[in-house]
Amino acid sequence: MCGLLPGVLQLRSSFKMAAALQFPANVSTLNTYNDLYPDWTQREVSTGTTIMAVEFEGGVVIGADSRTTTGAYIANRVTDKLTPIHERIFCCRSGSAADTQAIADAVTYQLGFHSIELDEAPLVQTAASLFREMCYRYREELMAGIIVAGWDPRRGGQVYTVPVGGMMTRQPVSVGGSGSSYIYGYVDSNYRAGMSKEECLKFTAEALALAMERDGSSGGVVRLAVISEQGVERQAILGNQLPKFSTV
Amino acid sequence: MLNTSTKTPTGGFSFENTRRNAVLEANLSEKGYSAPNARKTGTTIAGLIFKDGVILGADTRATDDMVVADKNCMKIHYIAPKIYCCGAGVAADAEVTTQMMSSNVELHSLSTGRPPLVAMVTRQLKQMLFRYQGHIGSSLIVGGVDVNGPQLYSIYPHGSYDKLPFLTMGSGAASAISVFEDRYKLNMELEEAKQLVRDAITAGIFCDLGSGSNVDLCVITEKTVDYLRAYDQPVQKGLREGTYRYKPGTTAVLTKTVTLLTLDVVDESVQVMDTE
């Protein structure tokens, strides 16, 4: 500790002289977190991802891939990105793994508390609002794109999307994550209102398979879940059973 | 007078000094000095779940840039009687984080009156690491046995966690995971599982520069905990083949000068050591 003092005094005097110098280019006044990223930590764990949710009569179908990456290394090839928030409300997570896990934990707590206070099942819109509140308030610090989907007795199956930035909107079908860019065309052309549960499952599985084929940050298995009045049914489609499209 | 910030404080953690540090570091490097680096553990750590419990493995090298700072450090830390944690990343961060967690777990366990759950340890660790937004550079593998059976979690510096049957982390993770992906099976027997973890860590030791020295294992089952320090030493220090001693007279002496250094006694004093 004593060895530091002479050094610090030296710095003080050089700093006074340096007041006339300019700050180096890499010190910007904007988002300090990004610019001064300590270089001895690894890249942040990102869920890369393709996530999707579709409303149908009587419930929703949600789906996600299963890849979590740290830079170019796959940290977890069997991730479960479909996180339960309440008995019949799930969220699909994309973006930073740490941020989305922390947000989901916080919202699970808040929604559980709210549900006990109300003494009834919470609305999907309430869950989506809680996500939106958090994602908007801390929008500068967070990187989280979330799709909230579920079933409640009042309005049936609903899908709400809360992308990066903290907007919230209800959509009959929603895709998210880095792989979503590759399937907007497929989803727009193949979605029809009034599809049955099986049709929705097939639609979601095929869309996710196409995205996983093209997006490097998406892959692994396809995880699907159906949320309805009866409860939640989950399934996973393994690599060799994925729908195939191209012959090359 | 430097410009002072006119932003109102928002409470919580303040990162203002990081900008000052960046400026100082830039000024230092102009003069040819460099700021001190945090010592990383380099590391290969691994864990897997077998029939009766969990096995954690780690190498024992701690590096300071390109120099080995510690040839035999302990990377498997105690958290609770049946819960241990391997730490990779910055050595100090991993060490202190696990020590703090060990205290918290003991207090929590006394408060609840129950043995601790691995999920609880994971939750506390990840909430702490998330609060520090990745500035605590410790990657951890938490493994243990509790009332819910054997469990294994990995926690990254930013606070994300994964629950898996086998895991590797650290700079040698890629080498070690390849061994696991090839040979891991569910419900393996003890000896086979120990051999597999040993092989995975050895792969990290041979193929990663930041990992080396010995393999430490920790076998946790419902009944026992076996901390096997230096379970295997895949790399032995080489024995010197020849000798480099020369006979006196090998080198011819041309001249010889003797200079006497006179030292005067300036001051002689006796200081009695206080042993009270």
Side-chain angles (χ1 to χ4, degrees):
Chain A
M1 283 302 272
C2 295
L4 269 176
L5 277 170
V8 169
L9 291 170
Q10 260 181 2
L11 285 170
R12 285 262 162 78
S13 55
S14 72
F15 203 40
K16 274 208 184 113
M17 291 189 289
L21 293 172
Q22 289 203 322
F23 274 26
N26 62 350
V27 177
S28 89
T29 50
L30 295 174
N31 203 334
T32 53
Y33 170 67
N34 278 333
D35 287 317
L36 303 174
Y37 205 109
D39 58 7
W40 41 257
T41 53
Q42 282 190 321
R43 292 268 300 278
E44 189 170 343
V45 177
S46 150
T47 41
T49 303
T50 316
I51 49 177
M52 184 165 164
V54 190
E55 288 177 10
F56 68 93
E57 185 67 46
V60 292
V61 169
I62 55 175
D65 75 304
S66 70
R67 182 172 288 184
T68 316
T69 49
T70 328
Y73 180 70
I74 298 174
N76 187 350
R77 58 180 171 84
V78 287
T79 327
D80 185 7
K81 302 179 192 178
L82 307 174
T83 309
I85 302 294
H86 202 262
E87 216 180 309
R88 285 181 179 73
I89 306 176
F90 270 62
C91 77
C92 312
R93 301 180 290 111
S94 75
S96 153
D99 290 349
T100 52
Q101 280 175 358
I103 296 169
D105 281 349
V107 172
T108 305
Y109 161 74
Q110 291 170 348
L111 199 66
F113 193 84
H114 170 73
S115 170
I116 289 172
E117 279 185 318
L118 284 183
D119 195 22
E120 63 183 46
L123 298 176
V124 185
Q125 188 182 8
T126 312
S129 280
L130 288 169
F131 272 108
R132 183 264 309 275
E133 271 305 299
M134 199 164 288
C135 291
Y136 180 73
R137 185 179 297 265
Y138 298 107
R139 57 183 295 167
E140 299 300 324
E141 287 84 22
L142 294 172
M143 194 175 66
I146 296 175
I147 299 180
V148 185
W151 182 93
D152 64 40
R154 202 183 293 184
R155 297 190 193 129
Q158 298 146 74
V159 170
Y160 294 87
T161 182
V162 182
V164 171
M167 152 187 120
M168 175 184 88
T169 184
R170 182 177 172 186
Q171 294 178 317
V173 62
S174 186
V175 293
S178 58
S180 65
S181 344
Y182 304 99
I183 51 171
Y184 277 111
Y186 181 82
V187 167
D188 286 343
S189 57
N190 285 64
Y191 173 72
R192 290 164 292 114
M195 285 197 286
S196 71
K197 180 177 95 171
E198 286 69 28
E199 284 173 321
C200 283
L201 278 167
K202 182 162 175 289
F203 173 52
T204 310
E206 289 185 344
L208 289 171
L210 283 167
M212 282 155 63
E213 185 74 24
R214 284 291 178 179
D215 180 31
S217 313
S218 303
V221 306
V222 169
R223 293 202 188 273
L224 296 167
V226 182
I227 310 170
S228 62
E229 186 177 359
Q230 286 75 40
V232 179
E233 301 159 29
R234 301 202 58 162
Q235 54 176 280
I237 304 180
L238 303 185
N240 52 357
Q241 296 153 355
L242 284 171
K244 289 184 185 42
F245 290 88
S246 80
T247 46
V248 293
Chain B
M1 261 291 254
L2 291 170
N3 285 331
T4 50
S5 170
T6 50
K7 283 190 292 221
T8 51
T10 50
F13 219 52
S14 164
F15 282 89
E16 271 177 24
N17 281 342
T18 50
R19 293 178 58 212
R20 175 206 73 177
N21 292 346
V23 173
L24 289 177
E25 202 171 318
N27 288 342
L28 270 179
S29 62
E30 273 168 41
K31 296 199 191 317
Y33 302 112
S34 62
N37 283 327
R39 195 219 297 180
K40 298 185 68 173
T41 47
T43 305
T44 310
I45 49 175
L48 60 67
I49 298 182
F50 71 107
K51 199 179 79 178
D52 304 318
V54 170
I55 304 185
L56 299 173
D59 74 304
T60 59
R61 174 182 287 183
T63 50
D64 198 346
D65 274 348
M66 283 288 121
V67 176
V68 176
D70 191 345
K71 287 188 281 190
N72 206 358
C73 72
M74 282 173 59
K75 300 186 189 179
I76 306 183
H77 309 282
Y78 167 89
I79 304 260
K82 294 265 167 43
I83 304 175
Y84 279 71
C85 177
C86 306
V90 179
D93 288 347
E95 184 74 37
V96 171
T97 302
T98 46
Q99 278 175 359
M100 266 174 54
M101 204 42 53
S102 181
S103 314
N104 284 346
V105 164
E106 177 72 18
L107 288 170
H108 191 269
S109 180
L110 287 167
S111 166
T112 57
R114 301 184 171 101
L117 297 172
V118 187
M120 185 269 285
V121 175
T122 307
R123 195 148 239 233
Q124 290 199 338
L125 277 168
K126 81 157 162 82
Q127 282 177 352
M128 190 192 91
L129 290 174
F130 183 76
R131 215 175 337 132
Y132 286 94
Q133 287 289 296
H135 287 273
I136 294 186
S138 57
S139 312
L140 308 161
I141 294 185
V142 182
V145 179
D146 59 30
V147 286
N148 297 325
Q151 284 159 80
L152 194 60
Y153 293 88
S154 69
I155 307 169
Y156 283 84
H158 285 266
S160 61
Y161 75 97
D162 291 304
K163 180 171 191 279
L164 290 163
F166 60 90
L167 286 165
T168 62
M169 287 181 99
S171 55
S175 318
I177 198 74
S178 60
V179 176
F180 276 164
E181 288 282 8
D182 188 31
R183 285 157 51 188
Y184 179 81
K185 298 190 295 290
L186 287 168
N187 294 325
M188 280 194 292
E189 295 295 330
L190 173 66
E191 283 311 314
E192 198 188 344
K194 272 162 70 173
Q195 186 65 19
L196 182 57
V197 179
R198 183 224 149 254
D199 287 345
I201 302 292
T202 309
I205 289 172
F206 285 139
C207 307
D208 174 43
L209 293 177
S211 310
S213 301
N214 316 326
V215 178
D216 283 351
L217 286 189
C218 185
V219 182
I220 309 170
T221 60
E222 206 179 318
K223 298 184 184 59
T224 55
V225 172
D226 261 331
Y227 197 114
L228 303 161
R229 185 105 167 98
Y231 174 74
D232 188 29
Q233 292 169 332
V235 183
Q236 301 285 350
K237 190 170 174 184
L239 292 169
R240 260 179 226 161
E241 301 273 323
T243 61
Y244 290 91
R245 303 193 133 266
Y246 295 93
K247 287 201 310 276
T250 311
T251 315
V253 175
L254 298 176
T255 51
K256 187 166 147 179
T257 346
V258 176
T259 319
L260 280 176
L261 290 172
T262 49
L263 298 169
D264 299 323
V265 175
V266 175
D267 176 44
E268 196 174 335
S269 64
V270 175
Q271 276 185 324
V272 179
M273 192 163 72
D274 185 11
T275 51
E276 298 280 322

